[in-house]
Amino acid sequence: MAGMACCCPSALSSRSTSWLVVGTYQGRTLTGKRFQRRSLVIKAEVNFVNYQEAKKLIAVEGYAVVDVRDRTQFERAHIKGCYHVPLFIENTDNDLGTIIKRTVHNNFSGLFFGLPFTKLNPEFVQSIKSQFSPGSKLLLVCQEGLRSTAAANKLEEAGYQNIACITSGLQSVTSGTFDTVGSTELQNAGKAGLVTIQGKISAVLGTVLICAFLFITFFPDQAEKLLELAPSG
């Protein structure tokens, strides 16, 4: 009798994880063992290092430095020879909602802390792909460590497996650790606006003004009553 094989229909599920094979050969029935089909998924883990370990990754293991900060911080100070691919870019949209948000931002956060009004860079992953293969060794850096972590997650999802970030960002780097380009030290590149002129006084004043603005905006009736209680000159 010719050999033949069949599959038990009840074992064929939509997941296709297992099936039972039954075959006949020369009049004998051979029952196969149930086995599990497994798919191997390789998931990379981001390597978080301090700035001293980061320097070794560059010098010894050949990691390329990718700076994901916005343009203003990058121009103030960056590691010499790094690549600049910002995770956030300046938001120049002109719809009404964006205009209002940009105006509020520029009069407070922008004025006191020198923070630009930005939005997520929709071309970030594609920009990386145009310069680096998925097997490339990349050290992502930002000022505080938050943007580089977010960027690492995006690249991990895109298939990059050799990613490292500096814990706490460039603000933790001591002077002289890296060769740099710019008008200030890496750890100070995030400082701008009035806080750099008047220090802590401006920071406190800016916080007070922001709180006052929000209070007047969301609680106008209470704010008006408080103004009525204020002594007149």
Side-chain angles (χ1 to χ4, degrees):
M1 182 182 294
M4 57 178 288
C6 65
C7 294
C8 178
S10 61
L12 292 176
S13 65
S14 59
R15 294 183 180 180
S16 298
T17 55
S18 64
W19 56 88
L20 184 64
V21 179
V22 179
T24 60
Y25 183 72
Q26 293 182 349
R28 292 182 299 171
T29 300
L30 303 176
T31 303
K33 295 182 180 179
R34 184 182 297 272
F35 61 93
Q36 189 79 13
R37 171 183 286 180
R38 298 177 181 178
S39 58
L40 180 62
V41 178
I42 301 176
K43 184 175 178 61
E45 291 186 0
V46 178
N47 184 21
F48 289 92
V49 298
N50 58 42
Y51 65 87
Q52 294 171 326
E53 293 169 330
K55 188 173 183 179
K56 292 181 180 179
L57 289 180
I58 299 170
V60 179
E61 299 190 32
Y63 273 69
V65 181
V66 179
D67 195 319
V68 302
R69 296 175 299 168
D70 60 75
R71 177 183 56 81
T72 56
Q73 291 183 343
F74 177 80
E75 291 178 349
R76 291 174 198 143
H78 59 266
I79 297 174
K80 186 176 181 179
C82 72
Y83 297 84
H84 183 221
V85 186
L87 182 62
F88 290 89
I89 58 176
E90 185 176 358
N91 189 346
T92 58
D93 296 344
N94 287 318
D95 59 279
L96 181 60
T98 301
I99 292 174
I100 294 174
K101 292 177 181 178
R102 182 166 55 238
T103 301
V104 173
H105 171 89
N106 291 341
N107 287 330
F108 291 94
S109 298
L111 176 63
F112 285 92
F113 303 104
L115 300 176
F117 184 65
T118 60
K119 64 179 179 180
L120 192 65
N121 180 5
E123 302 297 326
F124 173 75
V125 174
Q126 189 56 44
S127 296
I128 293 291
K129 287 184 175 181
S130 67
Q131 301 179 71
F132 303 99
S133 66
S136 300
K137 297 178 179 180
L138 303 179
L139 173 65
L140 307 182
V141 299
C142 69
Q143 199 63 30
E144 301 84 12
L146 299 177
R147 284 168 290 182
S148 60
T149 300
N153 290 335
K154 285 184 172 294
L155 294 182
E156 186 182 21
E157 293 175 355
Y160 286 81
Q161 299 177 11
N162 300 304
I163 306 172
C165 297
I166 297 180
T167 305
S168 298
L170 296 177
Q171 65 179 1
S172 65
V173 176
T174 59
S175 301
T177 302
F178 300 102
D179 292 333
T180 61
V181 177
S183 59
T184 187
E185 299 289 346
L186 287 174
Q187 64 267 35
N188 296 325
K191 299 177 182 178
L194 292 180
V195 293
T196 61
I197 301 175
Q198 300 175 2
K200 294 183 178 180
I201 295 177
S202 288
V204 172
L205 179 59
T207 302
V208 171
L209 289 176
I210 291 175
C211 292
F213 172 79
L214 293 176
F215 182 76
I216 294 173
T217 301
F218 293 105
F219 306 101
D221 295 336
Q222 290 85 340
E224 184 177 354
K225 291 180 180 178
L226 288 176
L227 290 175
E228 291 175 354
L229 295 175
S232 57

